[in-house]
Amino acid sequence: MSARRAAPWMLLAVTTYTCAATEDMDFVAEHLQEAAMDNRLLTLPLSYTDNLTNEHWSVQLSAFASRVESGNLRLTGPGVGAGVRRQLNRTWAILGLGFIDGLSFSGDTEQRPVAPIFSTSFPVSLPADATLSNQRGDVRLWGLGLGMRYQPESRPYSIAFGVLRERVRPDGYRVDYRLTSGESAGTAGTLDYSTEYSYWVPFATIEWRITHGEWQFSPRFSAGVPIPTWGWRGRISGPGFDIAGDTEKIGRGRHMGDSFGGFGFGITYSPWGLTMDAGALLNQALLEPRIHKGVDRGWLLNFSWEP
């Protein structure tokens, strides 16, 4: 085949691959929320800069700003947390923690497939390509947890572990669609993912402390496992229909809630007790797009302060 004749076929192949590589709206709506859950597990207020004498208390306050993007879709917003530590002896401490995050869902008009998996019966022809617009709503995360912290005397590492009760609530988490392909092209309506998911999350963190003058550097690895996982829930409405569903109830599995492991790297100015987590920023930018397909880019700025 000549190069001139091959060119149109190559262009068609590239175009087909590009379209096939575009994730559908359900897929991305789920992964944006799970990326937000990863951010929270990565920034739990568990990192303390020193050991205390027996029966002493300390407090840690934290705050972050985050942005997770997929195509023209965005989940952005702040989160705040607080941790309390009571030193039991020179080695062990008991930990308490809590957090609340308020994230906003927004975006610009874009082309993306509509292929809901939460139901098997639709009065319109799906999956189909669609124009998506008017992205709106919030995703709120909050939780409380208890844990223990172990740090041997004169050793530069510590281990923290415990259990967290976490709730994830997409509220008004919606996008409008207009189908642009298939037998139902031209049909318009709304996809709505508002619901609530609750988890018990066993977590663990191992951290090293490297002190240099007034500065402290703290690489760490954190992991968590949300239990149980849940079916993906959603609702689609259009002219004359309004259908809600849950993948677990129709035998399509549990999709919401992934195990997580990630890296942090705290940089602390000891006289102020202020820490900036450079590792969380890099983890979000470099690893999160690999963990959750469809998440293109993002950033996470996290600071903590021990008064």
Side-chain angles (χ1 to χ4, degrees):
M1 182 181 292
S2 69
R4 179 176 296 179
R5 290 186 178 182
W9 291 103
M10 293 173 65
L11 178 61
L12 177 60
V14 171
T15 302
T16 302
Y17 174 80
T18 301
C19 293
T22 302
E23 292 79 14
D24 66 83
M25 187 60 223
D26 271 39
F27 187 91
V28 170
E30 175 196 339
H31 279 198
L32 287 175
Q33 292 183 71
E34 289 175 332
M37 293 173 65
D38 289 353
N39 285 347
R40 174 38 71 189
L41 288 174
L42 189 62
T43 57
L44 291 175
L46 297 170
S47 178
Y48 290 88
T49 57
D50 58 10
N51 277 10
L52 298 175
T53 56
N54 296 359
E55 299 184 357
H56 278 210
W57 293 82
S58 64
V59 176
Q60 179 182 164
L61 306 176
S62 67
F64 73 64
S66 68
R67 183 182 183 100
V68 186
E69 299 184 52
S70 177
N72 292 331
L73 307 180
R74 299 180 290 274
L75 195 60
T76 60
V80 294
V84 178
R85 171 182 60 164
R86 179 176 173 81
Q87 198 73 29
L88 301 178
N89 52 48
R90 294 296 299 176
T91 302
W92 288 94
I94 189 169
L95 306 174
L97 62 101
F99 66 84
I100 182 167
D101 308 336
L103 310 177
S104 297
F105 179 52
S106 62
D108 303 314
T109 300
E110 69 169 10
Q111 304 297 316
R112 191 180 288 273
V114 170
I117 61 173
F118 50 77
S119 179
T120 57
S121 178
F122 301 104
V124 291
S125 179
L126 295 174
D129 294 332
T131 299
L132 303 175
S133 61
N134 194 25
Q135 297 88 346
R136 59 207 185 269
D138 302 297
V139 176
R140 302 189 184 280
L141 298 84
W142 63 92
L144 294 171
L146 288 173
M148 298 292 293
R149 181 175 185 265
Y150 170 73
Q151 180 168 359
E153 281 194 78
S154 304
R155 296 298 179 92
Y157 70 89
S158 64
I159 299 171
F161 56 90
V163 177
L164 179 72
R165 182 60 170 173
E166 179 181 31
R167 290 190 176 182
V168 181
R169 184 179 181 181
D171 186 15
Y173 190 49
R174 302 183 180 111
V175 58
D176 296 336
Y177 70 86
R178 179 176 293 276
L179 302 183
T180 59
S181 69
E183 298 176 1
S184 303
T187 301
T190 299
L191 283 161
D192 187 350
Y193 304 107
S194 302
T195 185
E196 184 173 296
Y197 304 98
S198 297
Y199 303 93
W200 291 101
V201 187
F203 62 82
T205 295
I206 183 167
E207 182 174 39
W208 288 262
R209 290 203 313 245
I210 303 166
T211 301
H212 184 73
E214 295 182 331
W215 294 89
Q216 190 173 104
F217 305 94
S218 305
R220 74 178 186 281
F221 176 77
S222 301
V225 183
I227 301 172
T229 53
W230 296 95
W232 176 245
R233 305 166 189 165
R235 178 184 297 271
I236 184 170
S237 60
F241 69 91
D242 189 340
I243 297 172
D246 182 328
T247 58
E248 182 181 3
K249 293 180 179 179
I250 61 173
R252 287 186 170 177
R254 298 181 175 187
H255 301 271
M256 187 61 188
D258 289 343
S259 300
F260 169 75
F263 296 91
F265 187 87
I267 302 174
T268 303
Y269 184 57
S270 298
W272 294 356
L274 183 65
T275 300
M276 185 268 190
D277 194 343
L281 178 63
L282 292 174
N283 191 94
Q284 173 59 264
L286 301 179
L287 296 184
E288 193 63 38
R290 298 178 180 273
I291 296 172
H292 283 115
K293 184 180 178 183
V295 172
D296 301 326
R297 55 201 171 274
W299 52 262
L300 173 66
L301 292 176
N302 182 64
F303 293 87
S304 60
W305 177 52
E306 291 180 60

